[in-house]
Amino acid sequence: MGFLQPPLSHHLRRPLLPSPSYPKSSIPSSPTKSLKPFFSSFPQGHLLVFSHTTPRAVYPRSDDSTPSPPIYDLIKRHSLFLLHFVAYACFLAASRAYACAPHRIPTAPLPSISEPVVTEGFEDGELNAAFENWKSKSYSLTVPLTIVALQGSIPPAWIKDFIQVQGKRLKLNIQYRANLDSIFSELTSASDKGRVRPKSAMSADIVSIGDSWLSYAISKGLIEPIKNAQEQDWFRNLSQRWKVYLCRNCKGELDPNGEIWAAPYRWGTMVIAYKKSKFKKHNLKPIEDWDDLWRPELGGKIAMVDSPREVVGATLKYLGASYNTTDMESQVAGGREAVLKCLTVFQRQVRLFDGVHYLKSFATGDVWVAVGWSGDVIPAAKRMSDVAVIVPQSGTSLWADIWAIPNATKFKTHQIGGRVRGPSPIIHQWMDFCLQTARDLPFREVVVPGSSPLYLEQSVLPEAKHKEKDRGKPKLDTNLMEGMPPRDILERCEFLEPLSDKAMEDYRWLLSNMQKPHFGSLRTTLHYFLNKLKAKSSF
C-alpha cells in the first residue's frame, strides 16, 4: 500500500480529498451508542489518519475505483462523531497517565501547638520526663523590691496582700531596723564614706524615715525626689495639707514649686499618758493640756522624749504660741526671756529626758506621767492597767512615718546590682498599695498604732459605731478615736516645719543662756540639737 500526497488547492493551501457518500443514519448520535455500525459504513480500504497538524488520508489500493471524499466534507458530515472521539481519547490518555503515576502515601495532619504532642515510641524514659518537665516550666520576669522599714510600723497583713496582688513576678525583700535612728545613721554613713554596701539601707529601693528628718535628708543628698509623683494616684488622693508639706526645694525648705520627696504611710501625734491610780490616790486632777505639766505636784514625776523640737515646742504651746514659731521676740508673749524662764521650770518638772527608756520608767512607776509619740505610748499603755492617754486640748505636734528613696545612684559601684541604675520600677505600686482605703483596717484595730494619711482631714467614724466595734475588748481611756484626735483638737495640731534662720538664732540664744548645772540632760540634748542646726536640720 502506498501513501499519496493529497493535492493542494492553490487558494486554500489545504488537502483536497474526494468525499464519498455515507448514509446519514449511520452516524452515532450519542457517545453511549456503539461505534461499530458507524465504522461499518465506511468503504473498505479507507482510513483517516490524524496528526497534530493537518489531517491526511491514506488512499486505497490502486485497484479501488471509488473516489476518496475530501477531508472537509468528512469533518462537516461527522463533526459530532469527531467530538465524541476526541473526548474519549482524552479520557483514555488521562486514565493511562494516572495509572502510570506513582501513588502518594497519605500522611496524618500535624498537631497544633495547643495540642499535646504524643511521644510514642520513646524508649528512653529520661528523655520523655525531661520533655514533660520542659513543658511545665513557666518563664516570667521577676521584679525586685527591697524595703528597709521601722520595726512594727508595717502591718503583717500588708506584706501578704501585696505579694498576692503582684503575683510571682515580685521578689520582695523587707528588712527591719529597731528605730529610725538606725536607718538614718546608715544613710548618713554611706554618704560620708562615699561607698555603699549591699545590706545597707542606702542600697534599698525604699526606706522609712521620720518626717522631722526630711529637711536634713534632702539638704545632705541622702534621698532623691520621687519622679512622676504628681501623676500617681497615691499623691492625687492625698489632702492639700500633705501635698504642701511634702513639696520642697533642694534645700529641704517648703516650696510649692519644689519636688515631691516622700510618701506618708502612717501618722500620729504627741500624747500625754498618766497613771490614773496614782492621780486618784493623791487627789490630783486629770491631765488635759500642756499647762498641767507645770503643776508643782508633778515635779520630778514626768518622763519625756529627748527631742529638742518637742521640748521647746511644748514650752511654746504652754505660752500659747506655735511649734513653728519663727520669731520668739515678736510671736511669744514676753519674748525669748519668757521662753527661757518656762524651760527652766519645766526642766525641774521632768525627771528623765530619754527617747528609749522613758516608757520603762513609766511602766515601773518611777514616774507618773510620760510624754511621747503615740506610736510608742499607745502599745505600752495597752499592756498596763489604769492608764489614760490624752491629746492636749490646745493641740500638739504631728509625726509621720514616710517612704523615701535613698540616693544610691550617685555611687559608682556594681555591688548593689540593679539598684545602682535607679529604684525598682514598682515603687509607685507599693506606695499606692499603702495608701489604699482597705489598708486602714490594722490601724483601726490598733494592730499597728497610728492612722492612715487619707484620714488626716476627713471625719472619723461616729463614736457609737466605734464603741460597737470595740465591744468585748479591753478599752483604753483616751480621747483618741480610731487612732486620731477629735476633729476640733486636730485642727490645732501641727507638723514640725523646717526652722527658719531667725528661729535657729533663738535656739542658739537659749543654749547660751542655759549654762547652769541644774539644766543637766536638757542642756546636753539642746547642745546636740543645735550642732545639727548648723546644717539646717529640722530635728
Side-chain angles (χ1 to χ4, degrees):
M1 180 180 65
F3 292 94
L4 300 179
Q5 179 68 30
L8 299 177
S9 171
H10 67 279
H11 63 281
L12 294 178
R13 304 292 295 176
R14 291 181 179 273
L16 298 176
L17 298 178
S19 177
S21 298
Y22 303 100
K24 186 175 181 180
S25 59
S26 64
I27 301 176
S29 59
S30 173
T32 58
K33 294 184 178 181
S34 174
L35 295 177
K36 185 175 180 180
F38 174 75
F39 283 111
S40 62
S41 65
F42 282 89
Q44 294 183 355
H46 288 258
L47 181 63
L48 287 176
V49 178
F50 297 90
S51 68
H52 65 281
T53 56
T54 305
R56 57 184 178 152
V58 179
Y59 285 85
R61 294 183 177 93
S62 59
D63 57 353
D64 192 350
S65 60
T66 305
S68 300
I71 189 64
Y72 177 78
D73 294 338
L74 291 175
I75 295 174
K76 181 178 180 181
R77 292 182 180 183
H78 306 291
S79 60
L80 183 59
F81 162 75
L82 292 177
L83 291 176
H84 286 292
F85 183 81
V86 171
Y88 184 71
C90 293
F91 174 77
L92 292 177
S95 301
R96 180 65 179 174
Y98 179 80
C100 295
H103 294 283
R104 297 181 59 186
I105 300 175
T107 57
L110 294 176
S112 63
I113 296 177
S114 60
E115 296 175 352
V117 178
V118 180
T119 57
E120 295 180 357
F122 276 177
E123 296 180 358
D124 190 352
E126 295 182 358
L127 180 61
N128 191 17
F131 177 69
E132 294 297 331
N133 183 42
W134 173 81
K135 291 196 302 180
S136 64
K137 285 184 178 180
S138 60
Y139 299 90
S140 61
L141 176 65
T142 58
V143 182
L145 178 64
T146 302
I147 301 174
V148 175
L150 175 64
Q151 183 72 40
S153 66
I154 302 179
W158 284 17
I159 302 174
K160 179 181 177 181
D161 293 344
F162 186 69
I163 294 175
Q164 185 177 2
V165 168
Q166 295 296 320
K168 294 182 179 180
R169 71 188 183 100
L170 173 67
K171 185 179 180 181
L172 183 62
N173 178 23
I174 297 185
Q175 305 172 17
Y176 295 99
R177 302 294 188 268
N179 49 64
L180 292 175
D181 291 343
S182 300
I183 300 176
F184 200 79
S185 297
E186 291 182 24
L187 297 177
T188 304
S189 177
S191 180
D192 293 342
K193 295 179 180 179
R195 66 176 185 270
V196 57
R197 296 181 178 180
K199 295 184 179 180
S200 170
M202 182 62 80
S203 65
D205 297 299
I206 303 174
V207 297
S208 292
I209 64 173
D211 68 301
S212 61
W213 292 345
L214 181 59
S215 177
Y216 183 76
I218 295 173
S219 62
K220 288 298 182 181
L222 303 181
I223 61 176
E224 62 183 60
I226 303 177
K227 296 181 180 179
N228 303 320
Q230 293 87 344
E231 302 174 3
Q232 306 301 320
D233 291 338
W234 66 263
F235 183 77
R236 294 173 180 172
N237 294 334
L238 290 175
S239 64
Q240 189 63 26
R241 190 173 183 179
W242 281 115
K243 294 177 181 179
V244 171
Y245 188 64
L246 298 174
C247 193
R248 310 199 179 195
N249 57 27
C250 59
K251 296 180 180 180
E253 301 169 342
L254 297 178
D255 185 354
N257 298 321
E259 297 182 281
I260 306 302
W261 294 84
Y265 66 95
R266 71 166 183 162
W267 65 277
T269 65
M270 283 292 293
V271 295
I272 302 174
Y274 63 93
K275 290 183 175 294
K276 294 191 296 182
S277 58
K278 295 291 185 179
F279 275 60
K280 184 178 181 179
K281 180 179 179 180
H282 294 85
N283 295 321
L284 301 178
K285 294 182 180 180
I287 294 177
E288 296 181 353
D289 209 346
W290 290 112
D291 56 0
D292 291 324
L293 299 182
W294 272 258
R295 284 158 37 183
E297 59 268 25
L298 295 180
K301 302 297 183 182
I302 302 174
M304 186 175 182
V305 294
D306 57 352
S307 169
R309 286 297 302 271
E310 297 296 348
V311 174
V312 177
T315 304
L316 292 172
K317 295 297 291 183
Y318 170 69
L319 295 172
S322 167
Y323 273 91
N324 299 307
T325 298
T326 57
D327 186 354
M328 294 183 183
E329 283 295 323
S330 61
Q331 296 177 350
V332 179
R336 293 187 299 188
E337 292 290 343
V339 177
L340 179 60
K341 182 179 179 181
C342 288
L343 274 175
T344 303
V345 176
F346 190 54
Q347 190 273 340
R348 295 170 182 169
Q349 295 286 105
V350 178
R351 182 173 180 174
L352 176 66
F353 288 100
D354 189 283
V356 178
H357 304 290
Y358 75 103
L359 288 176
K360 293 182 179 179
S361 298
F362 182 65
T364 57
D366 294 338
V367 294
W368 300 348
V369 181
V371 184
W373 298 288
S374 59
D376 297 334
V377 174
I378 292 179
K382 292 179 74 70
R383 295 191 296 266
M384 293 182 262
S385 58
D386 295 326
V387 174
V389 179
I390 64 102
V391 180
Q393 293 290 332
S394 60
T396 184
S397 65
L398 299 175
W399 59 266
D401 287 340
I402 56 180
W403 297 123
I405 302 175
N407 190 14
T409 53
K410 65 181 181 181
F411 296 97
K412 304 298 182 182
T413 178
H414 297 286
Q415 295 182 357
I416 56 177
R419 177 62 183 89
V420 73
R421 300 180 182 88
S424 172
I426 59 174
I427 57 172
H428 288 297
Q429 282 89 325
W430 171 254
M431 295 175 182
D432 275 327
F433 177 84
C434 294
L435 288 172
Q436 292 174 357
T437 305
R439 306 283 84 79
D440 184 49
L441 183 60
F443 296 131
R444 294 183 181 274
E445 296 180 349
V446 201
V447 175
V448 173
S451 185
S452 169
L454 298 177
Y455 299 111
L456 181 61
E457 294 183 351
Q458 298 181 14
S459 60
V460 298
L461 294 176
E463 185 175 359
K465 186 174 182 180
H466 173 78
K467 290 182 178 180
E468 179 68 22
K469 186 175 71 69
D470 288 341
R471 180 175 296 177
K473 298 181 180 180
K475 182 181 177 182
L476 178 65
D477 187 0
T478 178
N479 61 351
L480 290 168
M481 297 176 59
E482 306 293 349
M484 296 182 292
R487 183 58 48 188
D488 57 335
I489 298 179
L490 182 59
E491 291 175 355
R492 295 189 286 268
C493 296
E494 310 169 72
F495 282 112
L496 298 181
E497 299 176 0
L499 292 173
S500 63
D501 293 339
K502 183 61 175 66
M504 286 190 289
E505 180 184 345
D506 292 336
Y507 274 81
R508 293 190 183 98
W509 182 86
L510 292 175
L511 175 62
S512 63
N513 287 276
M514 293 176 64
Q515 302 294 332
K516 296 182 181 181
H518 66 263
F519 278 93
S521 60
L522 179 58
R523 182 184 179 279
T524 302
T525 302
L526 285 174
H527 181 74
Y528 169 79
F529 170 58
L530 290 174
N531 286 336
K532 294 293 184 180
L533 289 179
K534 295 178 182 179
K536 293 187 177 181
S537 167
S538 62
F539 281 81

